[in-house]
Amino acid sequence: MEFNASQLMEAKRQIDSTLHKLRETVKTLEAKENPNRYKSQITLAKRRIEAFEISAALIEREVNKPSIH
C-alpha cells in the first residue's frame, strides 16, 4: 500500500498521542499501592508501547526517505 506524507504524519500524530496515554497508564498503575496486582495490565501496556514506538520510527523513516523521481 502507498500512503502520502500527510497520511503518514497523521498516523504518527495518533500513535504519539496513544503512546503518551499508555505511558501515563503505566505510571499510574506502577504507582498504585499494590502494583503487582496490575502486573498483566502493566506488561500489556509496555508491550503496546514498544509496538507503537516501532511503528512511529518506521513512519518517521518513511517520511524522511529521499524521494527518487
Side-chain angles (χ1 to χ4, degrees):
M1 294 179 88
E2 291 293 320
F3 303 99
N4 65 42
S6 176
Q7 290 172 306
L8 291 171
M9 291 311 296
E10 177 59 21
K12 184 167 181 317
R13 191 178 75 77
Q14 294 300 322
I15 288 170
D16 289 342
S17 173
T18 302
L19 272 168
H20 174 74
K21 292 173 186 171
L22 283 167
R23 288 181 180 123
E24 291 301 312
T25 298
V26 170
K27 284 182 196 175
T28 300
L29 291 173
E30 289 179 335
K32 296 262 186 198
E33 190 172 311
N34 185 3
N36 285 333
R37 182 176 178 192
Y38 304 97
K39 188 174 180 177
S40 63
Q41 290 95 326
I42 293 169
T43 300
L44 177 61
K46 286 181 177 181
R47 287 178 180 164
R48 287 179 175 168
I49 288 169
E50 184 177 6
F52 280 120
E53 286 173 340
I54 291 167
S55 299
L58 291 173
I59 288 171
E60 194 72 33
R61 183 190 307 168
E62 186 66 23
V63 168
N64 293 324
K65 187 169 34 173
S67 299
I68 300 174
H69 297 299

